Amino acid sequence: MLDWKSLLEPYKKPLLEDLDGLLRIPSVKNVETVSDQAPFGQGIADTLQYMLDLGDRDGFTSKNIQGYAGRISLGQGTESLVILSHLDVVPADPTNGKPSPSFLKSKMANLLLEVLLMTRDRLSWPTMPSKS
């Protein structure tokens, strides 16, 4: 049986650094900063570009789709691996405009859950039984 913890340990620090960078961007809609390149405001545009830059850095091909979405892909041909995600979150603390601890925790929890689900699917981990 594979020792996943040991296998993933060399990637822990860079992954946490990337996650920290992502969590520091206030990815909330801001109508005051909407533009053609940032249809949901500059914070969401910055978040999208951050992720696309990470994809480029790691050898993927990325494309910004008019500020509405992004695509990070690998390889060529007729088959694709598609992972859908979102990067916008609830607004920050309205009293000071800064991300509150719950803002960061919520954003981190959502991101980690998506990473776990993506990893499970990629590695063919067993799925949870459905509630039927």
Side-chain angles (χ1 to χ4, degrees):
M1 178 165 223
L2 287 175
D3 179 3
W4 290 104
K5 188 172 182 179
S6 296
L7 185 67
L8 297 174
E9 187 62 35
Y11 303 99
K12 181 179 179 179
K13 185 176 183 215
L15 285 171
L16 290 175
E17 289 170 355
D18 291 346
L19 180 60
D20 181 66
L22 181 63
L23 292 174
R24 292 180 182 279
I25 304 170
S27 56
V28 294
K29 184 175 182 179
N30 182 345
V31 296
E32 295 175 9
T33 60
V34 167
S35 70
D36 289 342
Q37 295 78 32
F40 302 109
Q42 195 57 50
I44 292 177
D46 291 345
T47 304
L48 174 60
Q49 192 58 54
Y50 180 84
M51 291 304 298
L52 296 174
D53 290 345
L54 290 179
D56 288 337
R57 179 200 71 192
D58 292 339
F60 295 87
T61 302
S62 70
K63 181 177 181 177
N64 186 326
I65 305 168
Q66 300 176 341
Y68 287 93
R71 180 178 68 218
I72 300 173
S73 56
L74 179 66
Q76 299 175 10
T78 58
E79 294 186 18
S80 299
L81 169 66
V82 176
I83 299 168
L84 299 175
S85 182
H86 68 91
L87 298 168
D88 59 313
V89 295
V90 297
D93 183 345
T95 61
N96 63 16
K98 295 181 180 177
S100 66
S102 61
F103 173 90
L104 294 176
K105 286 179 187 175
S106 170
K107 191 169 183 179
M108 181 178 274
N110 284 330
L111 287 169
L112 292 176
L113 177 60
E114 290 175 20
V115 167
L116 289 172
L117 291 173
M118 175 186 69
T119 305
R120 179 202 67 201
D121 292 343
R122 184 166 185 228
L123 300 175
S124 300
W125 289 356
T127 58
M128 297 295 292
S130 62
K131 295 180 181 180
S132 45

